[in-house]
Amino acid sequence: MRTRLRGLAVLVGAALLATACGGGGDEGTGGAGKGNGKGVEKSTLTVGTMPVADTAPFEIAQAKGLFEKEGLTVRTQTLSGGAESISRLKAGALDISFGNYVSFMLADTNKALDVRIVADAFQAAPGTHALLVGKDSPVKSLADLKGKRIGVNTKRNISALLVKAAAKEEGVELDDDKGFAEVDMPNMGTALKSGSVDAVQAVEPFVTQITSSGTGRVLRDLGQAPTAEFPIAGYATTAEFAEKNPKTVAAFQRALKAAQGMAEDRSLVEETLPSYTKITAPVAKKISLGTYPTELSEERLRRVADLMAEFGYVQGDVDVAGLLVSGG
């Protein structure tokens, strides 16, 4: 009898040990015990992204297994612009999404979505954002674009705001509704060549692709004053998701922060770009790159809110501090 009881005790102890070590593993524990040992509420994330230079650190994090080390499996959906990121977050199709700050702040201020920004992504530099016209276009200045159509990936977003800021500096006022037309980033060269628009606001790698192919020329570098070092884009989620999944968000933040730091090595970014964009390795060496901040900054993002207010995109103050989720 004692032998049977002793054997039973050993079996119960082994079972308890297995349970304590996290042998069950379900969506609730979300990969507890992986990476730094801190469990996450949700182990599988769907993240919206775009095939632009801004998202190189995200791709680096995927390739280097940085999300996996934090107990996360990250699936992606490719987006066409900021408006799509908002609609998919609202529908619950995305957990976190890359997007431009104007779209995020507009959605929150207009109460279309209770937004929380969880990570910075990209800050402009000379050459990263440009207004281009056809190679043989008669347009010589922003004043010549008055009454014409400028292609942007989404109206009333960061693209239009950068163009309007540059135009105002030259004494030109552009109409948000009549002066802009929506064109997907990969199709901007085609739109310029066909004449369906008179100019496009493009980002890298499309700026280099358009100029290198002879399709267009730069009319104005938007990575210079008055929008030099301008905060362009970040990653956001909903307030509800952030509140219910704080450990998951913190894990995402840690992985991305590490990758943003790695992106200071230009050669790594150049190596990564052809893996998720149509840009070739030789072109990757030519493109202009901005910076990849590792920390969210209320002061830096306030520049976006102030410019939005200046052009009437929002009424009153944007609660920038209230939008930010501190790093994990």
Side-chain angles (χ1 to χ4, degrees), residues 196-220:
S196 60
V197 293
D198 302 287
V200 294
Q201 191 282 307
V203 303
E204 289 288 35
F206 305 110
V207 174
T208 295
Q209 289 177 336
I210 292 170
T211 55
S212 296
S213 67
T215 300
R217 57 181 170 82
V218 174
L219 179 69
R220 176 69 181 260

Side-chain angles (χ1 to χ4, degrees), residues 32-77:
K34 294 183 180 180
N36 60 13
K38 296 179 181 178
V40 294
E41 300 86 0
K42 186 174 184 182
S43 61
T44 300
L45 293 180
T46 303
V47 178
T49 186
M50 291 179 65
V52 291
D54 308 33
T55 58
F58 175 83
E59 299 295 333
I60 290 171
Q62 285 277 66
K64 300 288 186 184
L66 301 183
F67 292 122
E68 185 179 0
K69 288 178 182 178
E70 292 290 348
L72 300 175
T73 297
V74 174
R75 298 168 180 166
T76 62
Q77 288 186 16

Side-chain angles (χ1 to χ4, degrees), residues 99-167:
N100 74 87
Y101 286 126
V102 173
S103 292
F104 288 146
M105 291 183 187
L106 268 179
D108 188 81
T109 303
N110 295 338
K111 301 188 183 306
L113 186 69
D114 200 354
V115 174
R116 292 295 180 270
I117 299 170
V118 301
D120 206 337
F122 193 76
Q123 183 171 291
T128 60
H129 296 70
L131 184 62
L132 301 102
V133 295
K135 184 178 180 181
D136 300 319
S137 170
V139 173
K140 303 298 181 184
S141 68
L142 280 160
D144 294 335
L145 287 175
K146 188 75 173 176
K148 300 186 182 298
R149 298 211 312 165
I150 302 168
V152 293
N153 69 323
T154 306
K155 288 184 178 182
R156 294 179 67 82
N157 77 345
I158 191 74
S159 299
L161 193 64
L162 292 175
V163 174
K164 286 169 71 74

Side-chain angles (χ1 to χ4, degrees), residues 80 151 153 182-197 200 202 206 209-210 215 278:
S80 61
N153 69 323
E182 294 188 347
V183 180
D184 287 345
M185 284 288 182
N187 298 327
M188 286 193 168
T190 301
L192 204 57
K193 194 171 185 177
S194 69
S196 60
V197 293
V200 294
F206 305 110
Q209 289 177 336
I210 292 170
T215 300
K278 294 182 179 180

Side-chain angles (χ1 to χ4, degrees), residues 123-126 162 221-232 300 303:
Q123 183 171 291
L162 292 175
D221 183 348
L222 302 175
Q224 297 182 349
T227 48
E229 299 182 343
F230 201 74
I232 299 297
R300 190 164 60 242
R303 290 184 64 195

